[in-house]
Amino acid sequence: MKRFLYIILCLAVLAGCDKSEPIIYRGTMFGTMQSTGVMLGDDGGTYHFRNVSELGTSFPSSGRIVVMFDVYSKLEDKEREYDAAVLQYAIPLSKDPVTCNTDEEDAALGDDPIEMSNGTCSAGYLNLLCTALIREASSVTHLVNLQIVPGENPDTLHTVLRHNAGDDKVTDDNMEFFSEQQFYASFPIGDYLPEEGTIVLEVKWFWQDDWHTVWATVAK
């Protein structure tokens, strides 16, 4: 989590808050925005952000988000709803996983370098901190996907983090113009998890000319 926090500090917008008011706790988590200023956290709590007007128009009212926030109080007569204020935030890449039916579809996902630097599974999402090689001042659109590979083992959910760099291919001749850049990604995998019990989640990625794999036991 220390590494996650560092990236948020680098990418997010710093929001003002009243430092004199006591807080219950400070948290950092993934969540899904339900409406303007209201986030359903992956912990199951609902957070009402009081300082949305200070965050500007880029602060989302829907979709996935990563937020560092202060909680001031529990809302009266509410089970798990809280008055809170955003300190910093980042918007992750979020899209459905893909399954390939042909060799052409598989090839279109790309085999360019990408690293899963850190990751968690919560609220039916696979949340990742990723690293990719990006050309400085490039305007090329990079495609990142989570591929589901069915049929290898029924007791394991096999996934592959895929990266298609388009015209930004790294070679020995141009690698000096590339740098490592980090970003968040959040993929919904709840439909692939069993209703009861656990399953082994496998995540593979290609980085530094080699394939890497991690496994974890996850539940819905």
Side-chain angles (χ1 to χ4, degrees):
M1 292 305 295
K2 288 182 179 177
R3 198 167 190 182
F4 269 39
L5 178 58
Y6 173 76
I7 298 304
I8 291 176
L9 291 173
C10 289
L11 296 183
V13 175
L14 181 62
C17 59
D18 183 359
K19 296 185 178 2
S20 65
E21 184 176 355
I23 66 171
I24 300 176
Y25 66 89
R26 176 168 293 176
T28 301
M29 76 174 66
F30 280 83
T32 302
M33 297 302 299
Q34 304 297 293
S35 60
T36 301
V38 180
M39 180 189 79
L40 175 61
D42 281 5
D43 66 343
T46 299
Y47 299 88
H48 298 257
F49 298 130
R50 58 166 71 174
N51 61 332
V52 171
S53 62
E54 303 170 11
L55 302 174
T57 57
S58 62
F59 191 78
S61 59
S62 62
R64 295 290 284 170
I65 193 170
V66 194
V67 184
M68 177 191 289
F69 55 93
D70 283 343
V71 173
Y72 293 95
S73 64
K74 180 179 177 294
L75 296 188
E76 190 173 350
D77 299 326
K78 300 293 184 179
E79 182 63 28
R80 295 192 64 187
E81 299 193 32
Y82 305 91
D83 173 32
V86 176
L87 298 176
Q88 298 158 332
Y89 70 94
I91 301 174
L93 166 72
S94 186
K95 59 199 304 188
D96 290 335
V98 297
T99 302
C100 296
N101 297 312
T102 66
D103 292 342
E104 291 76 15
E105 290 177 349
D106 184 82
L109 295 180
D111 55 4
D112 295 302
I114 188 169
E115 180 185 30
M116 190 197 86
S117 305
N118 207 335
T120 61
C121 190
S122 57
Y125 286 86
L126 176 60
N127 304 308
L128 303 177
L129 175 61
C130 304
T131 303
L133 294 172
I134 307 295
R135 186 195 296 265
E136 300 294 338
S138 173
S139 60
V140 173
T141 299
H142 290 234
L143 301 179
V144 174
N145 285 282
L146 184 73
Q147 180 185 12
I148 303 293
V149 182
E152 291 193 7
N153 185 332
D155 297 325
T156 302
L157 176 59
H158 301 273
T159 69
V160 185
L161 188 62
R162 301 289 296 272
H163 174 208
N164 186 338
D167 293 332
D168 270 356
K169 305 292 183 183
V170 181
T171 67
D172 291 339
D173 295 331
N174 68 8
M175 62 185 307
E176 64 180 296
F177 302 108
F178 287 76
S179 62
E180 295 184 6
Q181 297 189 27
Q182 294 185 306
F183 60 94
Y184 287 111
S186 186
F187 300 100
I189 61 170
D191 290 345
Y192 300 92
L193 303 179
E195 291 297 327
E196 297 182 359
T198 61
I199 193 172
V200 175
L201 172 64
E202 175 189 80
V203 183
K204 297 178 63 176
W205 66 92
F206 187 74
W207 183 251
Q208 294 183 342
D209 300 320
D210 201 4
W211 283 99
H212 304 264
T213 308
V214 294
W215 296 267
T217 301
V218 298
K220 196 159 191 177

